[in-house]
């Protein structure tokens, strides 16, 4: 589909999530220490959601065991910001995980 097409109605742009309705998110990955227990991972993830994801109105979809990866976007219609990226990266780094990787913001509906 041609994303830069002209003369689309506002309704169609909204349905396609393009132009002013584009939604930005980012990918995240991190690694725990090798000897981490399941209980420690559960506690960490609960804390991650309680302290950085929910207070910023974000959503996280991902998976892992000692290596985690996923997508972060907003819970409501809208886009993540550079401040969101920075906050998530800083929180992970401050809480002892290693090899934190955060992608640039990208269009979560039309990523190439």
């Amino acid at each position: 589909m041609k994303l830069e097409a002209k003369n689309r109605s506002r309704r169609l742009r909204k349905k396609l999530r393009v132009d002013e309705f584009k939604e930005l998110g980012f990918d995240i990955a991190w690694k725990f220490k090798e000897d981490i227990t399941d209980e420690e991972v559960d506690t960490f993830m609960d804390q991650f959601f309680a302290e950085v994801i929910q207070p910023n109105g974000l959503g996280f979809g991902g998976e892992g065991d000692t290596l985690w990866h996923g997508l972060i976007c907003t819970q409501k219609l809208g886009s993540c910001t550079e401040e969101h990226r920075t906050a998530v990266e800083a929180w992970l780094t401050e809480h002892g995980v290693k090899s934190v990787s955060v992608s640039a913001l990208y269009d979560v509906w039309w990523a190439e």
Side-chain angles (χ1 to χ4, degrees):
M1 179 172 84
K2 189 173 182 180
L3 293 179
E4 295 82 25
K6 303 293 181 208
N7 300 325
R8 285 190 179 134
S9 68
R10 175 177 163 76
R11 181 175 164 269
L12 185 56
R13 290 191 312 271
K14 186 175 181 179
K15 272 186 150 184
L16 294 173
R17 299 178 195 262
V18 295
D19 299 333
E20 70 269 32
F21 301 103
K22 170 172 52 174
E23 296 181 60
L24 302 177
F26 57 96
D27 292 325
I28 186 89
W30 70 89
K31 187 174 176 76
F32 289 114
K33 60 184 180 177
E34 295 297 326
D35 60 344
I36 194 166
T37 66
D38 290 341
E39 292 78 24
E40 290 173 319
V41 171
D42 289 344
T43 301
F44 179 90
M45 294 306 293
D46 289 344
Q47 191 177 2
F48 179 57
F49 278 92
E51 293 181 11
V52 74
I53 297 297
Q54 292 173 344
N56 286 295
L58 301 175
F60 171 76
E63 63 179 358
D65 48 12
T66 58
L67 176 62
W68 278 74
H69 59 90
L71 166 70
I72 294 184
C73 56
T74 56
Q75 289 182 15
K76 297 181 179 178
L77 292 179
S79 292
C80 289
T81 63
E82 287 296 326
E83 290 78 24
H84 290 133
R85 288 181 66 252
T86 304
V88 170
E89 184 174 21
W91 191 92
L92 288 169
T93 303
E94 291 168 6
H95 286 80
V97 299
K98 52 186 178 178
S99 304
V100 176
S101 172
V102 180
S103 76
L105 293 172
Y106 67 89
D107 187 332
V108 296
W109 290 95
W110 298 101
E112 293 181 15

